[in-house]
Structure formats: C-alpha cells, structure tokens
C-alpha cells in the first residue's frame, strides 16, 4: 500500500550520495554510523549491566535444540524467490535462477553443513552498507541525513531464510506471538497496526470517550542490541538450546561491514552489537521482543472522574 502511495505521490527511489572524493566520504560515513551507535551504547551501559528478572520468564513448553536440514526442493524455492544481487555475489540473481538445478545441490550441502557444524561462515557475515538519503528534502551534505542500508550475499540470505522459517514455526507452535503484534508476523504489517489503532480510536469516539495514544520511537533500536543479552533471552525465554543456540550465536558474533559509495569503499569494521537489518532472518520476533517487549496488560474503560478526566481506554505498555 505504501509503495503505491509513494508512486502516486511522485516520490522517487532514494539515491546514494554523489561526492567527488568518494573514498574519503566512505570513511566519514563509516565513522559516523559507528559513532552514533557508540554514543547510544554509552547511555545504555547501565541497563545492559543490570539483572533482568523477565529473562527468566519461560514463554515455551518445548525447546528446540537443532534446526531441521532443508531439502533441495526447499532450497530451490528459496533461491527462485531471490531477486536482489549484492556486489559480493559471484553470480547475479538472474543467472542463479537460470542455473538453479545445477547449483542447488551445492547450496543445500553448504546450508546443511553450516547448521550441522553450528557455524555461520565468516565470509557470509560481511555486509556492504550504502548510505541512502532519508528524505528528499534533507540536506544532502549532512551525514545525519542518511541512513545505512546493508546488503548481504545471496547465499547468506538463503541460509538465513531456512533458519527464519524454522524460528517462526517454533514461535508459532509455542504460541509466543503477542496478540496485538504486527511486526515480524505472517499476514500482519504496518497496515494491520494502523487499522487496529484507527478502529480503536473511532470506537472510543463513538462511545464519547477520550483516547490516549502513546507513540515511542527508539533510535537505532536493532543496531544497539546487546548480543549476550539476546543470546541469554533466546535460551531462557524462547527455548533455543544446543546446536540451534550455537548457530545463532555464531550468526550474531564477529559480523563485519564496510561502507560503499560508487566503486569506492571504507575499511572493514567489526560489529559488536546489533542484528543485520538487511537480513531476511534478523531474528525478527525475538529481536523485536528484546527491544520492545510490549505487553498489553489492560484494555478496559477506566473512570478518571476524580481528576476531572473522561472515561478513556488505557493501554498499559510494560517495557522490560
């Protein structure tokens, strides 16, 4: 829907910045993106060090100790859906599709070996970051006007998709999805969230009731995720153990990236926090709950007549 609205509004796809000294600009962007995260992390250090009783809350009844290995048929379906190409790929996406029958057995063996040996290859944990302008109206000469977009290799995305499907099956089977959650949930999106909020507000208006809407915007939320805390939560709250937890740990640790503008690039940097947002895995549900962990504990009319307020619907959101 939003893609259609943008096309009707005449907005164009965001482009990379054009600089005369692209090599120097790559390093500037790399330092800026990393510095922004470091500044945010310095303010979060206290919260990263404290104990979290909520981590001990079990959301599952059965653990998952290993990911089921995919077949050639499953890998074929995943590869056939691959449309984007990264500069790190040996083959463009269209050539991969054209030669799918000959390439799939090798990709299946690589994927199964990765899952069996509990390791995500280092070469597949490197990302190409391209700075894109957030809005056309922003100053193109200001670093803060750009956001980093990560590009990962096709093989990396294939393995990630395999794991993502198994994670979502586990999450669904264990009924660990919040009923009001729209992010990282099948058949849900920003559209379902907007429809729900709009319906709730209009329903309150029809009943002559007021509405309080709380909107929270976290800066670089997924980039500041502490790996150790996320791994702990994956184990204690979501039941990932054994080979499954070891693979996820390998996937998160020792990731690298470099900024690319045109044919120039920055030096490689190592990421110590966060989950790759260009990934099809992104530990979607678990990362979402690590960062927000919103639980609707009350959705009932409450009488605020004692403080001269009308009846309102109150959402109590607990952030843990």
């Amino acid at each position: 829907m939003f893609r259609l609205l943008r096309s009707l509004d005449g907005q164009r796809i965001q482009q990379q910045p054009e600089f005369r000294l692209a090599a120097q600009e790559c390093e500037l962007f790399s330092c800026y993106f990393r510095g922004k995260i470091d500044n945010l992390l310095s303010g979060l250090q206290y919260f990263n060090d404290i104990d979290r009783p909520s981590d001990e809350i079990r959301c599952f009844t059965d653990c998952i100790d290993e990911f089921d290995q995919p077949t050639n048929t499953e890998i074929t379906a995943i590869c056939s859906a691959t449309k984007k190409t990264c500069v790190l790929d040996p083959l463009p996406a269209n050539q991969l599709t054209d030669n799918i029958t000959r390439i799939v057995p090798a990709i299946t063996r690589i994927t199964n070996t990765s899952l069996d040996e509990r390791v995500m290859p280092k070469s597949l944990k490197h990302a190409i970051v391209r700075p894109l302008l957030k809005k056309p109206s922003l100053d193109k000469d200001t670093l803060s006007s750009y956001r980093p977009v990560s590009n990962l290799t096709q093989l990396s995305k294939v393995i990630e998709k395999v794991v993502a499907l198994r994670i979502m099956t586990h999450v669904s089977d264990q009924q660990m999805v919040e009923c009001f959650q729209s992010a990282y949930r099948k058949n849900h999106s920003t559209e379902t969230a907007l429809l729900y909020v709009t319906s709730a507000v209009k329903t309150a208006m029809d009943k002559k009731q007021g509405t309080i809407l709380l909107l929270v915007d976290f800066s670089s939320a997924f980039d500041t995720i502490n790996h150790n805390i996320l791994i702990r939560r994956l184990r204690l709250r979501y039941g990932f153990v054994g080979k499954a937890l070891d693979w996820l740990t390998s996937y998160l640790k020792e990731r690298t990236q470099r900024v690319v503008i045109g044919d120039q690039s920055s030096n490689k940097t190592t990421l110590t926090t966060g989950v790759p947002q260009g990934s099809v895995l992104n530990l979607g549900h678990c990362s979402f709950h690590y960062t927000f962990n919103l639980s609707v504990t009350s959705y009932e009319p409450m009488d605020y007549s004692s403080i001269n307020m009308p009846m309102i619907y109150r959402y109590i959101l607990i952030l843990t």
Side-chain angles (χ1 to χ4, degrees), residues 36-314:
K36 178 183 178 181
I37 301 304
D38 290 341
N39 290 335
L40 290 171
L41 289 173
S42 63
L44 295 174
Q45 188 58 46
Y46 168 77
F47 299 99
N48 287 337
D49 291 339
I50 63 176
D51 293 331
R52 289 174 174 75
S54 61
D55 283 348
E56 305 295 339
I57 301 175
R58 288 171 57 109
C59 299
F60 60 93
T61 54
D62 297 320
C63 294
I64 177 171
D65 59 357
E66 64 179 352
F67 297 120
D68 295 336
Q69 295 191 348
T71 62
N72 286 339
T73 302
E74 182 179 3
I75 295 297
T76 299
I78 293 174
C79 291
S80 298
T82 302
K83 304 299 182 183
K84 295 182 179 180
T85 301
C86 175
V87 296
L88 300 175
D89 289 325
L91 288 175
N94 61 336
Q95 291 190 21
L96 174 63
T97 303
D98 293 341
N99 298 277
I100 195 72
T101 55
R102 287 179 288 181
I103 298 177
V104 157
I107 296 178
T108 303
R109 286 196 299 271
I110 293 173
T111 302
N112 289 337
T113 300
S114 173
L115 298 178
D116 186 57
E117 297 188 359
R118 320 177 188 194
V119 173
M120 183 66 166
K122 287 186 177 181
S123 60
L124 302 183
K125 294 193 288 184
H126 182 66
I128 298 297
V129 176
R130 299 184 184 276
L132 295 183
L133 196 64
K134 297 177 182 177
K135 297 179 181 178
S137 59
L138 296 178
D139 184 2
K140 296 182 180 180
D141 295 326
T142 303
L143 295 176
S144 60
S145 298
Y146 295 86
R147 61 185 179 91
V149 176
S150 298
N151 298 117
L152 301 167
T153 64
Q154 294 171 342
L155 181 55
S156 171
K157 290 183 177 181
V158 169
I159 299 177
E160 291 167 2
K161 183 65 175 179
V162 168
V163 175
L165 291 173
R166 283 141 183 79
I167 288 179
M168 291 313 300
T169 298
H170 174 68
V171 169
S172 177
D173 290 345
Q174 299 299 309
Q175 299 181 348
M176 292 186 283
V177 180
E178 295 285 353
C179 60
F180 293 109
Q181 178 182 328
S182 285
Y184 305 105
R185 187 178 179 187
K186 188 176 181 179
N187 299 324
H188 288 71
S189 66
T190 51
E191 294 179 40
T192 55
L194 288 173
L195 287 172
Y196 175 79
V197 172
T198 302
S199 176
V201 171
K202 289 184 175 181
T203 299
M205 292 173 63
D206 291 340
K207 296 180 179 181
K208 308 299 182 182
Q209 297 170 338
T211 300
I212 291 180
L213 180 62
L214 174 64
L215 302 175
V216 183
D217 182 14
F218 293 91
S219 180
S220 301
F222 290 102
D223 291 325
T224 55
I225 290 178
N226 182 294
H227 290 161
N228 293 331
I229 296 176
L230 178 55
I231 293 169
R232 172 184 170 85
R233 184 160 293 189
L234 287 169
R235 176 171 57 88
L236 295 178
R237 298 199 67 178
Y238 297 98
F240 291 96
V241 297
K243 287 186 176 182
L245 185 65
D246 289 343
W247 188 92
L248 291 171
T249 301
S250 173
Y251 173 80
L252 289 169
K253 299 286 188 177
E254 298 180 342
R255 301 197 69 91
T256 59
Q257 68 178 31
R258 54 190 171 95
V259 175
V260 172
I261 300 177
D263 59 353
Q264 301 294 325
S265 68
S266 68
N267 294 321
K268 184 186 297 185
T269 58
T270 300
L271 305 179
T272 57
T273 61
V275 292
Q277 296 187 54
S279 164
V280 295
L281 172 57
N282 202 13
L283 295 180
H285 177 82
C286 302
S287 299
F288 179 84
H289 275 261
Y290 167 96
T291 310
F292 307 104
N293 200 27
L294 305 180
S295 300
V296 180
T297 58
S298 176
Y299 183 43
E300 297 295 335
M302 302 187 71
D303 188 358
Y304 286 85
S305 57
S306 61
I307 54 175
N308 298 319
M309 292 181 62
M311 294 283 286
I312 67 171
Y313 274 91
R314 185 176 70 169

